[in-house]
Amino acid sequence: MRSGAGEGKLIRRGALGAVVLAGVFTPGPGHTQDAAAGAPEKAIELPTLTVTGQGETALSPVTGYVANQQATGTKTDTPVLETPQSVSIIPADQIRDQNAQTLNQVVRYTAGVTPETRGAVATRYDQLKIRGFDADTYWNGLKLEDIWYAAPQLDPFLMERIEVLKGPSSVLYGQSPAGGLINQVSKRPTATPQNEVGIEIGNNHHLRGTADFSGPIDAGGRFLYRFTAVGLSEDGQIRMTENERVAIAPSFTWRPDADTSLTLLGLYQRDPEGNSYGGVPPQGTVLENPLGKIPVDFYDGDPNFEKFDRRMSSLGYAFDKRLNDALSVRLNGRWLHNEVAYDSIYANGLAPDNRTLFRGIATSREEGDSYALDNQVEGRFSTGAVRHTVLAGFDYQRLDANYAPGFGVAPSLDIFEPVYGIDVTPPPTNRTDVEGNQYGLYLQDQLRLDRFILTLAGRSDWVRTKRTNELGTTRQSDEALTGRAGLTYVFDNGIAPYASYAQSFTPQSGTDFSGRLFEPEEGTQYEIGVKYQPPGLNSLFTAAVFEITRSNLTTADPDHPGFSVQTGEARSRGVELEARVGLTQGLDLIGTYTYLDTEYTRDNGGLEGKRLAAVPRHQASGWAMYRMPEGSALGGLSIGGGLRYTGSTTNDANTFKVPSFTLVDAALSYDLGLLSPKLVGAEVALNAKNLLNNEHVASCYFGDWCAYGYERTVTAGLRYRW
């Protein structure tokens, strides 16, 4: 983030979303956020997916790539067609077909989302943008709190589906950025037994194993279980780096009767290696360097010092009770322990000789426990001709954490003749203890009159944060009122136009020259659109036009150098088109297009009138998966492919552009059960991402830091289900 007095300081979202402004230093690549401021050929009967976490209710099973119901946008089981805000849902079939192994890969074919702005280096974090702005990540409807470098990341294999809610969403979720949020929904116990094991190999010494077991424990089906696990070991694209993971996610459901359900969700995940977290300068990547081009696998750090070891443990619950036909209660909560050991040497600009790379040092040891709960009461009733779905809720978030970062200067590196294995003395660190609390009360009413659906919601939040370090203790309190209003009309032919208004808020820490605490950043969105679901066709077409404004951004105080004022503003306007179509039982299609016009509309630090960095004006994608008919000569074979286009982007100063790029993906799988009855349940799969090995720069996301995108990755796997 760069704005006025904030330049040259570490600015990061801290406890419960507050922004921490630390001591002056030259920021590294990891210290930025927004500036200014697949199914087999044979049909499988899917069990009903019962999701009871926050914002999740009993959802209908997904057919192919098309989900008819959503919960993230309303916290009720509402058809996508009736939701007055853009929501994209990526189901398990799509995740499997595309072999998506990070959240960034999962959302590659989603309108409005700019994934992998940090390219192939930032695999350890889920850094992406929605509608031009940073996005929050949620797990089963509850926010994933980060500390500093200890930001949680979940493996997509553990998820049943991903829901992307675009635009401000504070009215249901409390503090959140204006761009939107991504809700990751866990796989849950199933009433029908289903088991799967898999092994996969690929280039870069990729080795991955998966397991997923689920079913009833007793004959009556009152007790259900699920056990999901994944293990990964591979080399990073950046030389001398590795990526490793082991994760297990057990869950248990108790259903004493048809109206009651209690699910316990566990997780243990360790990532002992996380590739690198550096960058490359623009000279030699997107700008000419007279000495040559920087290699795609260039490593700006040092293996003697690099360290990334993250551990996460979690236990959550989801209780759902239907009291009668009109009233239901949902109680949801989670404890998450997150810790990380982090050491890094990172690029910090190129010398005038075009080969000497200045470098910095970042180190931190962090540990924290976050607690989140959301209690909801849902009522369905009528007043005359108007039918109501009323949701009242209270949610609470708490973070108890400590972090001890340190920053320094590392020896420079010759980018064309690098020498690694140097001795590095870690810089001194300063510990900060954080205690954060957020309380929220919200009320929503979905009113239905004939074919009209009017959605009204309001919320009040209270945020309290305390930080203690060697300089003493600071406290900050914030309050916010947010709302949303939307109107939808559903025609008989499946066309549903809508219009909506939504707000968001994000607390900020620090004070202005007079010592007055900064107020929360505010976000507002106006959106109009249309959704179309043709009767009798498994498909969903959506189109939206929107404008989002972020206000109360900090920018340089023109009257008091070194201080900031809250007069900054950024805006994003755009158009989104998305189509998900199941033309036949064997063909699934996805098509998307996004146009974004982003701009800093107010800023005292020279950004006014400039585009936001790393955000393209144009994005488009298309994916097709075809499963050959049973009985045909090629029965059992599935073929898929996709194109991803990302238009040109700019750096934060708008002094140069990053070229556009187009990437090709491909998928191939075969049901071995058609060869022999002994092989029923076995399937082989081959996936290639960036098939043509298009060498590209993903973005130049801040200052002099750019990132190469992924080269070609190829994996071959064997799965067995029974």
mmCIF file of all heavy atoms in Angstrom, residues 314-353:
data_model
loop_
_atom_site.group_PDB
_atom_site.id
_atom_site.type_symbol
_atom_site.label_atom_id
_atom_site.label_comp_id
_atom_site.label_asym_id
_atom_site.label_seq_id
_atom_site.Cartn_x
_atom_site.Cartn_y
_atom_site.Cartn_z
ATOM 1 N N SER A 314 -7.143 -26.653 13.850
ATOM 2 C CA SER A 314 -8.458 -26.034 13.962
ATOM 3 C C SER A 314 -9.492 -27.051 14.404
ATOM 4 O O SER A 314 -9.393 -28.245 14.085
ATOM 5 C CB SER A 314 -8.884 -25.431 12.619
ATOM 6 O OG SER A 314 -10.192 -24.895 12.693
ATOM 7 N N LEU A 315 -10.479 -26.561 15.151
ATOM 8 C CA LEU A 315 -11.643 -27.347 15.517
ATOM 9 C C LEU A 315 -12.860 -26.441 15.426
ATOM 10 O O LEU A 315 -12.890 -25.361 16.015
ATOM 11 C CB LEU A 315 -11.510 -27.909 16.935
ATOM 12 C CG LEU A 315 -12.672 -28.792 17.413
ATOM 13 C CD1 LEU A 315 -12.790 -30.029 16.535
ATOM 14 C CD2 LEU A 315 -12.482 -29.194 18.875
ATOM 15 N N GLY A 316 -13.851 -26.888 14.669
ATOM 16 C CA GLY A 316 -15.056 -26.085 14.509
ATOM 17 C C GLY A 316 -16.310 -26.910 14.684
ATOM 18 O O GLY A 316 -16.271 -28.142 14.720
ATOM 19 N N TYR A 317 -17.431 -26.216 14.807
ATOM 20 C CA TYR A 317 -18.715 -26.891 14.954
ATOM 21 C C TYR A 317 -19.766 -26.156 14.134
ATOM 22 O O TYR A 317 -19.663 -24.955 13.865
ATOM 23 C CB TYR A 317 -19.158 -26.957 16.416
ATOM 24 C CG TYR A 317 -19.440 -25.608 17.041
ATOM 25 C CD1 TYR A 317 -20.693 -24.999 16.940
ATOM 26 C CD2 TYR A 317 -18.442 -24.930 17.740
ATOM 27 C CE1 TYR A 317 -20.946 -23.760 17.512
ATOM 28 C CE2 TYR A 317 -18.682 -23.698 18.317
ATOM 29 C CZ TYR A 317 -19.928 -23.119 18.195
ATOM 30 O OH TYR A 317 -20.177 -21.882 18.752
ATOM 31 N N ALA A 318 -20.787 -26.903 13.723
ATOM 32 C CA ALA A 318 -21.925 -26.338 12.999
ATOM 33 C C ALA A 318 -23.176 -27.065 13.470
ATOM 34 O O ALA A 318 -23.341 -28.260 13.209
ATOM 35 C CB ALA A 318 -21.744 -26.491 11.499
ATOM 36 N N PHE A 319 -24.021 -26.348 14.167
ATOM 37 C CA PHE A 319 -25.252 -26.925 14.720
ATOM 38 C C PHE A 319 -26.441 -26.303 14.013
ATOM 39 O O PHE A 319 -26.538 -25.084 13.880
ATOM 40 C CB PHE A 319 -25.336 -26.662 16.225
ATOM 41 C CG PHE A 319 -26.615 -27.153 16.847
ATOM 42 C CD1 PHE A 319 -26.820 -28.502 17.077
ATOM 43 C CD2 PHE A 319 -27.619 -26.265 17.208
ATOM 44 C CE1 PHE A 319 -27.993 -28.962 17.646
ATOM 45 C CE2 PHE A 319 -28.796 -26.702 17.783
ATOM 46 C CZ PHE A 319 -28.985 -28.065 18.003
ATOM 47 N N ASP A 320 -27.354 -27.173 13.548
ATOM 48 C CA ASP A 320 -28.533 -26.709 12.807
ATOM 49 C C ASP A 320 -29.761 -27.383 13.400
ATOM 50 O O ASP A 320 -29.821 -28.609 13.498
ATOM 51 C CB ASP A 320 -28.386 -27.080 11.331
ATOM 52 C CG ASP A 320 -29.380 -26.321 10.445
ATOM 53 O OD1 ASP A 320 -30.454 -25.956 10.952
ATOM 54 O OD2 ASP A 320 -29.080 -26.123 9.262
ATOM 55 N N LYS A 321 -30.737 -26.569 13.814
ATOM 56 C CA LYS A 321 -31.960 -27.095 14.415
ATOM 57 C C LYS A 321 -33.169 -26.419 13.790
ATOM 58 O O LYS A 321 -33.318 -25.193 13.845
ATOM 59 C CB LYS A 321 -31.972 -26.850 15.931
ATOM 60 C CG LYS A 321 -33.244 -27.306 16.634
ATOM 61 C CD LYS A 321 -33.428 -28.819 16.588
ATOM 62 C CE LYS A 321 -34.645 -29.266 17.379
ATOM 63 N NZ LYS A 321 -34.853 -30.734 17.321
ATOM 64 N N ARG A 322 -34.033 -27.231 13.163
ATOM 65 C CA ARG A 322 -35.293 -26.715 12.643
ATOM 66 C C ARG A 322 -36.355 -26.915 13.712
ATOM 67 O O ARG A 322 -36.751 -28.030 14.022
ATOM 68 C CB ARG A 322 -35.683 -27.447 11.362
ATOM 69 C CG ARG A 322 -36.872 -26.822 10.633
ATOM 70 C CD ARG A 322 -37.048 -27.440 9.259
ATOM 71 N NE ARG A 322 -37.531 -28.811 9.366
ATOM 72 C CZ ARG A 322 -38.820 -29.171 9.279
ATOM 73 N NH1 ARG A 322 -39.757 -28.245 9.092
ATOM 74 N NH2 ARG A 322 -39.175 -30.432 9.378
ATOM 75 N N LEU A 323 -36.790 -25.814 14.308
ATOM 76 C CA LEU A 323 -37.746 -25.884 15.409
ATOM 77 C C LEU A 323 -39.145 -26.212 14.912
ATOM 78 O O LEU A 323 -39.887 -26.944 15.562
ATOM 79 C CB LEU A 323 -37.745 -24.556 16.175
ATOM 80 C CG LEU A 323 -36.390 -24.147 16.767
ATOM 81 C CD1 LEU A 323 -36.496 -22.782 17.431
ATOM 82 C CD2 LEU A 323 -35.902 -25.188 17.764
ATOM 83 N N ASN A 324 -39.514 -25.665 13.760
ATOM 84 C CA ASN A 324 -40.794 -25.967 13.119
ATOM 85 C C ASN A 324 -40.689 -25.529 11.669
ATOM 86 O O ASN A 324 -39.599 -25.180 11.198
ATOM 87 C CB ASN A 324 -41.967 -25.284 13.846
ATOM 88 C CG ASN A 324 -41.735 -23.793 14.038
ATOM 89 O OD1 ASN A 324 -41.395 -23.092 13.086
ATOM 90 N ND2 ASN A 324 -41.934 -23.307 15.257
ATOM 91 N N ASP A 325 -41.793 -25.533 10.964
ATOM 92 C CA ASP A 325 -41.749 -25.183 9.545
ATOM 93 C C ASP A 325 -41.330 -23.742 9.307
ATOM 94 O O ASP A 325 -40.909 -23.392 8.194
ATOM 95 C CB ASP A 325 -43.114 -25.419 8.898
ATOM 96 C CG ASP A 325 -43.450 -26.900 8.792
ATOM 97 O OD1 ASP A 325 -42.496 -27.708 8.869
ATOM 98 O OD2 ASP A 325 -44.643 -27.236 8.635
ATOM 99 N N ALA A 326 -41.433 -22.916 10.331
ATOM 100 C CA ALA A 326 -41.169 -21.492 10.135
ATOM 101 C C ALA A 326 -39.885 -21.004 10.786
ATOM 102 O O ALA A 326 -39.419 -19.908 10.473
ATOM 103 C CB ALA A 326 -42.344 -20.666 10.674
ATOM 104 N N LEU A 327 -39.299 -21.774 11.693
ATOM 105 C CA LEU A 327 -38.203 -21.249 12.503
ATOM 106 C C LEU A 327 -37.047 -22.235 12.569
ATOM 107 O O LEU A 327 -37.242 -23.427 12.833
ATOM 108 C CB LEU A 327 -38.709 -20.940 13.919
ATOM 109 C CG LEU A 327 -37.819 -20.071 14.802
ATOM 110 C CD1 LEU A 327 -37.646 -18.684 14.185
ATOM 111 C CD2 LEU A 327 -38.429 -19.947 16.203
ATOM 112 N N SER A 328 -35.836 -21.731 12.333
ATOM 113 C CA SER A 328 -34.620 -22.533 12.416
ATOM 114 C C SER A 328 -33.554 -21.769 13.177
ATOM 115 O O SER A 328 -33.520 -20.528 13.166
ATOM 116 C CB SER A 328 -34.084 -22.878 11.023
ATOM 117 O OG SER A 328 -35.025 -23.619 10.278
ATOM 118 N N VAL A 329 -32.649 -22.517 13.812
ATOM 119 C CA VAL A 329 -31.537 -21.938 14.557
ATOM 120 C C VAL A 329 -30.245 -22.566 14.057
ATOM 121 O O VAL A 329 -30.171 -23.784 13.855
ATOM 122 C CB VAL A 329 -31.683 -22.180 16.075
ATOM 123 C CG1 VAL A 329 -30.462 -21.674 16.818
ATOM 124 C CG2 VAL A 329 -32.940 -21.502 16.601
ATOM 125 N N ARG A 330 -29.209 -21.736 13.853
ATOM 126 C CA ARG A 330 -27.904 -22.230 13.455
ATOM 127 C C ARG A 330 -26.837 -21.621 14.356
ATOM 128 O O ARG A 330 -26.792 -20.394 14.523
ATOM 129 C CB ARG A 330 -27.614 -21.895 11.991
ATOM 130 C CG ARG A 330 -28.512 -22.623 11.016
ATOM 131 C CD ARG A 330 -28.070 -22.419 9.578
ATOM 132 N NE ARG A 330 -28.318 -21.067 9.102
ATOM 133 C CZ ARG A 330 -29.476 -20.675 8.563
ATOM 134 N NH1 ARG A 330 -30.493 -21.519 8.478
ATOM 135 N NH2 ARG A 330 -29.621 -19.446 8.126
ATOM 136 N N LEU A 331 -26.012 -22.469 14.930
ATOM 137 C CA LEU A 331 -24.911 -22.044 15.791
ATOM 138 C C LEU A 331 -23.622 -22.572 15.183
ATOM 139 O O LEU A 331 -23.470 -23.769 14.978
ATOM 140 C CB LEU A 331 -25.086 -22.584 17.209
ATOM 141 C CG LEU A 331 -26.452 -22.394 17.869
ATOM 142 C CD1 LEU A 331 -26.477 -23.080 19.224
ATOM 143 C CD2 LEU A 331 -26.778 -20.915 18.013
ATOM 144 N N ASN A 332 -22.681 -21.675 14.917
ATOM 145 C CA ASN A 332 -21.463 -22.062 14.211
ATOM 146 C C ASN A 332 -20.257 -21.399 14.864
ATOM 147 O O ASN A 332 -20.319 -20.231 15.278
ATOM 148 C CB ASN A 332 -21.538 -21.620 12.752
ATOM 149 C CG ASN A 332 -22.878 -21.954 12.128
ATOM 150 O OD1 ASN A 332 -23.138 -23.089 11.787
ATOM 151 N ND2 ASN A 332 -23.760 -20.949 12.028
ATOM 152 N N GLY A 333 -19.163 -22.130 14.944
ATOM 153 C CA GLY A 333 -17.977 -21.562 15.571
ATOM 154 C C GLY A 333 -16.713 -22.289 15.150
ATOM 155 O O GLY A 333 -16.753 -23.397 14.608
ATOM 156 N N ARG A 334 -15.565 -21.645 15.411
ATOM 157 C CA ARG A 334 -14.289 -22.254 15.068
ATOM 158 C C ARG A 334 -13.167 -21.647 15.899
ATOM 159 O O ARG A 334 -13.134 -20.435 16.148
ATOM 160 C CB ARG A 334 -13.962 -22.040 13.588
ATOM 161 C CG ARG A 334 -12.660 -22.740 13.154
ATOM 162 C CD ARG A 334 -12.329 -22.482 11.707
ATOM 163 N NE ARG A 334 -12.029 -21.083 11.427
ATOM 164 C CZ ARG A 334 -12.630 -20.375 10.496
ATOM 165 N NH1 ARG A 334 -13.589 -20.928 9.772
ATOM 166 N NH2 ARG A 334 -12.304 -19.115 10.303
ATOM 167 N N TRP A 335 -12.262 -22.515 16.337
ATOM 168 C CA TRP A 335 -10.973 -22.100 16.902
ATOM 169 C C TRP A 335 -9.891 -22.470 15.906
ATOM 170 O O TRP A 335 -9.901 -23.564 15.337
ATOM 171 C CB TRP A 335 -10.722 -22.801 18.232
ATOM 172 C CG TRP A 335 -9.260 -22.834 18.615
ATOM 173 C CD1 TRP A 335 -8.522 -21.823 19.149
ATOM 174 C CD2 TRP A 335 -8.364 -23.949 18.468
ATOM 175 N NE1 TRP A 335 -7.222 -22.226 19.349
ATOM 176 C CE2 TRP A 335 -7.095 -23.528 18.934
ATOM 177 C CE3 TRP A 335 -8.505 -25.252 17.977
ATOM 178 C CZ2 TRP A 335 -5.976 -24.368 18.940
ATOM 179 C CZ3 TRP A 335 -7.397 -26.093 17.964
ATOM 180 C CH2 TRP A 335 -6.161 -25.656 18.445
ATOM 181 N N LEU A 336 -8.967 -21.562 15.662
ATOM 182 C CA LEU A 336 -7.873 -21.821 14.727
ATOM 183 C C LEU A 336 -6.572 -21.332 15.335
ATOM 184 O O LEU A 336 -6.451 -20.168 15.738
ATOM 185 C CB LEU A 336 -8.117 -21.100 13.398
ATOM 186 C CG LEU A 336 -6.974 -21.162 12.366
ATOM 187 C CD1 LEU A 336 -6.782 -22.587 11.866
ATOM 188 C CD2 LEU A 336 -7.238 -20.223 11.194
ATOM 189 N N HIS A 337 -5.618 -22.243 15.424
ATOM 190 C CA HIS A 337 -4.271 -21.879 15.866
ATOM 191 C C HIS A 337 -3.369 -21.823 14.641
ATOM 192 O O HIS A 337 -3.354 -22.738 13.819
ATOM 193 C CB HIS A 337 -3.732 -22.900 16.868
ATOM 194 C CG HIS A 337 -2.321 -22.593 17.322
ATOM 195 N ND1 HIS A 337 -2.045 -21.660 18.290
ATOM 196 C CD2 HIS A 337 -1.115 -23.089 16.908
ATOM 197 C CE1 HIS A 337 -0.743 -21.598 18.480
ATOM 198 N NE2 HIS A 337 -0.156 -22.449 17.646
ATOM 199 N N ASN A 338 -2.612 -20.743 14.525
ATOM 200 C CA ASN A 338 -1.772 -20.527 13.357
ATOM 201 C C ASN A 338 -0.419 -19.992 13.814
ATOM 202 O O ASN A 338 -0.356 -19.069 14.634
ATOM 203 C CB ASN A 338 -2.450 -19.517 12.415
ATOM 204 C CG ASN A 338 -1.714 -19.338 11.115
ATOM 205 O OD1 ASN A 338 -0.943 -20.206 10.695
ATOM 206 N ND2 ASN A 338 -1.950 -18.206 10.458
ATOM 207 N N GLU A 339 0.662 -20.593 13.317
ATOM 208 C CA GLU A 339 1.986 -20.106 13.667
ATOM 209 C C GLU A 339 2.909 -20.243 12.467
ATOM 210 O O GLU A 339 2.715 -21.104 11.598
ATOM 211 C CB GLU A 339 2.557 -20.857 14.861
ATOM 212 C CG GLU A 339 2.711 -22.355 14.672
ATOM 213 C CD GLU A 339 3.238 -23.034 15.926
ATOM 214 O OE1 GLU A 339 4.469 -23.119 16.067
ATOM 215 O OE2 GLU A 339 2.413 -23.468 16.743
ATOM 216 N N VAL A 340 3.930 -19.384 12.412
ATOM 217 C CA VAL A 340 4.859 -19.420 11.291
ATOM 218 C C VAL A 340 6.240 -18.983 11.742
ATOM 219 O O VAL A 340 6.379 -18.131 12.624
ATOM 220 C CB VAL A 340 4.367 -18.510 10.132
ATOM 221 C CG1 VAL A 340 4.493 -17.040 10.487
ATOM 222 C CG2 VAL A 340 5.108 -18.811 8.844
ATOM 223 N N ALA A 341 7.250 -19.616 11.164
ATOM 224 C CA ALA A 341 8.638 -19.172 11.269
ATOM 225 C C ALA A 341 9.052 -18.692 9.889
ATOM 226 O O ALA A 341 9.011 -19.474 8.927
ATOM 227 C CB ALA A 341 9.536 -20.301 11.753
ATOM 228 N N TYR A 342 9.438 -17.433 9.780
ATOM 229 C CA TYR A 342 9.627 -16.798 8.483
ATOM 230 C C TYR A 342 10.973 -16.077 8.439
ATOM 231 O O TYR A 342 11.267 -15.227 9.287
ATOM 232 C CB TYR A 342 8.489 -15.801 8.247
ATOM 233 C CG TYR A 342 8.530 -15.081 6.919
ATOM 234 C CD1 TYR A 342 7.750 -15.519 5.859
ATOM 235 C CD2 TYR A 342 9.335 -13.967 6.723
ATOM 236 C CE1 TYR A 342 7.766 -14.866 4.638
ATOM 237 C CE2 TYR A 342 9.368 -13.308 5.507
ATOM 238 C CZ TYR A 342 8.586 -13.757 4.467
ATOM 239 O OH TYR A 342 8.612 -13.114 3.264
ATOM 240 N N ASP A 343 11.799 -16.419 7.443
ATOM 241 C CA ASP A 343 13.044 -15.705 7.161
ATOM 242 C C ASP A 343 13.154 -15.543 5.656
ATOM 243 O O ASP A 343 12.948 -16.508 4.909
ATOM 244 C CB ASP A 343 14.276 -16.474 7.670
ATOM 245 C CG ASP A 343 14.290 -16.625 9.184
ATOM 246 O OD1 ASP A 343 13.982 -15.642 9.884
ATOM 247 O OD2 ASP A 343 14.609 -17.737 9.659
ATOM 248 N N SER A 344 13.507 -14.363 5.201
ATOM 249 C CA SER A 344 13.556 -14.137 3.758
ATOM 250 C C SER A 344 14.541 -13.030 3.417
ATOM 251 O O SER A 344 14.688 -12.055 4.147
ATOM 252 C CB SER A 344 12.163 -13.757 3.235
ATOM 253 O OG SER A 344 12.201 -13.486 1.856
ATOM 254 N N ILE A 345 15.221 -13.224 2.287
ATOM 255 C CA ILE A 345 15.992 -12.165 1.641
ATOM 256 C C ILE A 345 15.282 -11.852 0.330
ATOM 257 O O ILE A 345 14.954 -12.763 -0.431
ATOM 258 C CB ILE A 345 17.444 -12.600 1.377
ATOM 259 C CG1 ILE A 345 18.167 -12.847 2.705
ATOM 260 C CG2 ILE A 345 18.185 -11.539 0.569
ATOM 261 C CD1 ILE A 345 19.587 -13.360 2.531
ATOM 262 N N TYR A 346 15.027 -10.578 0.081
ATOM 263 C CA TYR A 346 14.194 -10.220 -1.062
ATOM 264 C C TYR A 346 14.816 -9.090 -1.879
ATOM 265 O O TYR A 346 15.597 -8.270 -1.371
ATOM 266 C CB TYR A 346 12.801 -9.803 -0.593
ATOM 267 C CG TYR A 346 12.806 -8.651 0.396
ATOM 268 C CD1 TYR A 346 12.803 -7.342 -0.054
ATOM 269 C CD2 TYR A 346 12.812 -8.892 1.765
ATOM 270 C CE1 TYR A 346 12.804 -6.286 0.844
ATOM 271 C CE2 TYR A 346 12.814 -7.845 2.670
ATOM 272 C CZ TYR A 346 12.815 -6.547 2.208
ATOM 273 O OH TYR A 346 12.823 -5.509 3.093
ATOM 274 N N ALA A 347 14.471 -9.060 -3.164
ATOM 275 C CA ALA A 347 14.935 -8.015 -4.069
ATOM 276 C C ALA A 347 14.432 -6.654 -3.621
ATOM 277 O O ALA A 347 13.298 -6.516 -3.162
ATOM 278 C CB ALA A 347 14.456 -8.310 -5.489
ATOM 279 N N ASN A 348 15.290 -5.637 -3.781
ATOM 280 C CA ASN A 348 14.904 -4.297 -3.326
ATOM 281 C C ASN A 348 15.422 -3.225 -4.278
ATOM 282 O O ASN A 348 15.880 -2.181 -3.859
ATOM 283 C CB ASN A 348 15.439 -4.062 -1.909
ATOM 284 C CG ASN A 348 14.647 -2.998 -1.174
ATOM 285 O OD1 ASN A 348 13.541 -2.662 -1.576
ATOM 286 N ND2 ASN A 348 15.205 -2.457 -0.119
ATOM 287 N N GLY A 349 15.347 -3.522 -5.576
ATOM 288 C CA GLY A 349 15.730 -2.528 -6.566
ATOM 289 C C GLY A 349 17.061 -2.843 -7.227
ATOM 290 O O GLY A 349 17.941 -3.471 -6.641
ATOM 291 N N LEU A 350 17.218 -2.381 -8.474
ATOM 292 C CA LEU A 350 18.402 -2.652 -9.265
ATOM 293 C C LEU A 350 19.276 -1.411 -9.339
ATOM 294 O O LEU A 350 18.783 -0.294 -9.525
ATOM 295 C CB LEU A 350 17.992 -3.089 -10.678
ATOM 296 C CG LEU A 350 19.016 -3.814 -11.530
ATOM 297 C CD1 LEU A 350 19.434 -5.129 -10.872
ATOM 298 C CD2 LEU A 350 18.442 -4.085 -12.920
ATOM 299 N N ALA A 351 20.593 -1.618 -9.207
ATOM 300 C CA ALA A 351 21.544 -0.512 -9.269
ATOM 301 C C ALA A 351 21.655 0.019 -10.703
ATOM 302 O O ALA A 351 21.251 -0.648 -11.663
ATOM 303 C CB ALA A 351 22.906 -0.979 -8.768
ATOM 304 N N PRO A 352 22.218 1.218 -10.870
ATOM 305 C CA PRO A 352 22.354 1.789 -12.221
ATOM 306 C C PRO A 352 23.185 0.941 -13.177
ATOM 307 O O PRO A 352 23.080 1.121 -14.398
ATOM 308 C CB PRO A 352 23.037 3.137 -11.953
ATOM 309 C CG PRO A 352 22.634 3.496 -10.557
ATOM 310 C CD PRO A 352 22.577 2.195 -9.823
ATOM 311 N N ASP A 353 24.007 0.003 -12.644
ATOM 312 C CA ASP A 353 24.801 -0.838 -13.548
ATOM 313 C C ASP A 353 23.980 -1.945 -14.195
ATOM 314 O O ASP A 353 24.492 -2.733 -14.993
ATOM 315 C CB ASP A 353 25.999 -1.440 -12.809
ATOM 316 C CG ASP A 353 25.588 -2.409 -11.695
ATOM 317 O OD1 ASP A 353 24.370 -2.646 -11.513
ATOM 318 O OD2 ASP A 353 26.490 -2.924 -11.011
#
